[in-house]
Amino acid sequence: MRSHWDQEKIKQANQSLSKAHPIEIIRWGNEVTERQRLTLACSFGYEDVALVGMVQQVDPSIPIFYLDTSLLFKEVEEVQQRLSDKYQIKFHRVTTLLTLNQQAKQYGEKLWASDPNLCCQLRKVEPLRQHLEPYEGWITGVRRQQSTTRSQTDVVEWDESFQLLKLNPLTYWTDDQVWAYIRQHDIPYNPLHDQGYPSIGCWPCTRKVKPGEDPRSGRWSGFNKTECGLHTSSSNPDEEVGT
Ligand code: SF4
């Protein structure tokens, strides 16, 4: 059974971990949860591949999963393969049973263009909710620097939406720190990052970003949407901060 972490316990954890290296934060998470009940969410963006490398140093048995929406860039598969080869790990594929054809029949063609919130709910949020059910905690690549909606992200949070512990080991790290770690450890990363895509989601909802633009402006371009709803801010549970 999952143990609930109250706000006082979360606050104490944040005080003790605020200056800790992300690896120490992952190690702490691994110690306070039962074996195999902490998991890393990997969307194969640069923060996530850095975390994959860190998790291998802490405990290679920590399960790593990714959400397969059936709408991922082919480069995602390639980086997944390269990471598997380097670390000998198997990524758990999490997906909806709703095929794209079924979705089109039920909700209309290209749901992402007419109702991206519903599309994300069906293809990401619900599969994630089911997948997280047996876990006590999950690790994410959310960082304060990524956007204003993420600027209050703590290292340790109680995830109200999915009711488990949430670790954001990179929250205080800058872009430069993440990239330095990737280069120092020769971690495979998505080549689209070198081609103007700082944030990469499903291909229908991701475009290149021009120099000077907000890094996340390439996601759901044309919609008043910047997040897909996987993450909810603990300081404001109504505020979505997604991957
Ligand atoms: S990112 Fe776009 S295509 Fe992917 S699940 Fe969300 S709306 Fe659908």
Side-chain angles (χ1 to χ4, degrees):
M1 204 177 96
R2 278 179 186 168
S3 52
H4 183 91
W5 282 59
D6 62 34
Q7 284 310 314
E8 190 51 37
K9 215 169 155 190
I10 298 278
K11 193 172 151 195
Q12 285 171 9
N14 277 308
Q15 280 168 352
S16 67
L17 293 169
S18 64
K19 294 196 169 52
H21 189 280
I23 286 185
E24 290 309 311
I25 296 166
I26 296 168
R27 189 165 287 130
W28 174 87
N30 206 31
E31 283 167 5
V32 298
T33 52
E34 281 184 35
R35 189 174 151 71
Q36 302 262 294
R37 294 193 66 196
L38 175 70
T39 183
L40 168 63
C42 180
S43 66
F44 302 101
Y46 61 98
E47 289 95 350
D48 294 349
V49 300
L51 286 170
V52 168
M54 291 175 188
V55 159
Q56 299 319 296
Q57 287 194 46
V58 174
D59 179 356
S61 76
I62 292 175
I64 307 176
F65 74 92
Y66 69 104
L67 288 170
D68 185 353
T69 59
S70 306
L71 293 158
L72 301 177
F73 285 91
K74 69 171 174 35
E75 286 83 354
V76 169
E77 271 175 51
E78 289 164 13
V79 72
Q80 180 189 340
Q81 189 58 54
R82 287 164 56 217
L83 284 164
S84 295
D85 292 345
K86 180 176 173 78
Y87 296 114
Q88 306 300 306
I89 45 178
K90 179 167 168 30
F91 293 91
H92 299 274
R93 176 176 176 263
V94 176
T95 190
T96 172
L97 294 177
L98 186 73
T99 66
L100 287 173
N101 278 341
Q102 288 168 336
Q103 180 171 296
K105 272 189 196 146
Q106 226 172 310
Y107 300 98
E109 293 286 340
K110 298 185 180 172
L111 185 59
W112 49 88
S114 59
D115 191 344
N117 285 335
L118 178 58
C119 188
C120 280
Q121 184 69 24
L122 295 167
R123 309 206 74 74
K124 290 184 174 181
V125 180
E126 285 313 318
L128 176 66
R129 187 181 306 284
Q130 283 179 26
H131 181 71
L132 289 179
E133 195 63 38
Y135 290 100
E136 286 182 51
W138 67 312
I139 306 168
T140 86
V142 172
R143 288 185 301 122
R144 290 188 168 208
Q145 201 192 48
Q146 286 166 334
S147 68
T148 50
T149 53
R150 298 180 177 194
S151 63
Q152 301 299 314
T153 304
D154 285 324
V155 170
V156 183
E157 297 181 331
W158 177 254
D159 190 325
E160 283 296 340
S161 182
F162 300 119
Q163 292 290 301
L164 78 171
L165 203 62
K166 182 174 179 183
L167 293 190
N168 308 299
L170 301 177
T171 191
Y172 292 114
W173 269 26
T174 62
D175 265 353
D176 288 348
Q177 283 176 292
V178 180
W179 279 111
Y181 189 88
I182 289 169
R183 295 202 172 96
Q184 186 186 354
H185 296 274
D186 196 22
I187 299 174
Y189 65 89
N190 192 327
L192 290 175
H193 287 312
D194 294 331
Q195 297 166 36
Y197 295 87
S199 176
I200 302 165
C202 300
W203 62 261
C205 301
T206 306
R207 67 158 173 83
K208 279 190 189 185
V209 167
K210 297 191 191 95
E213 275 190 301
D214 183 309
R216 286 190 67 82
S217 62
R219 305 287 298 277
W220 303 283
S221 193
F223 285 92
N224 183 20
K225 173 178 171 72
T226 55
E227 307 285 357
C228 56
L230 303 188
H231 308 283
T232 305
S233 163
S234 60
S235 55
N236 179 3
D238 295 331
E239 178 187 340
E240 279 187 357
V241 293
T243 191

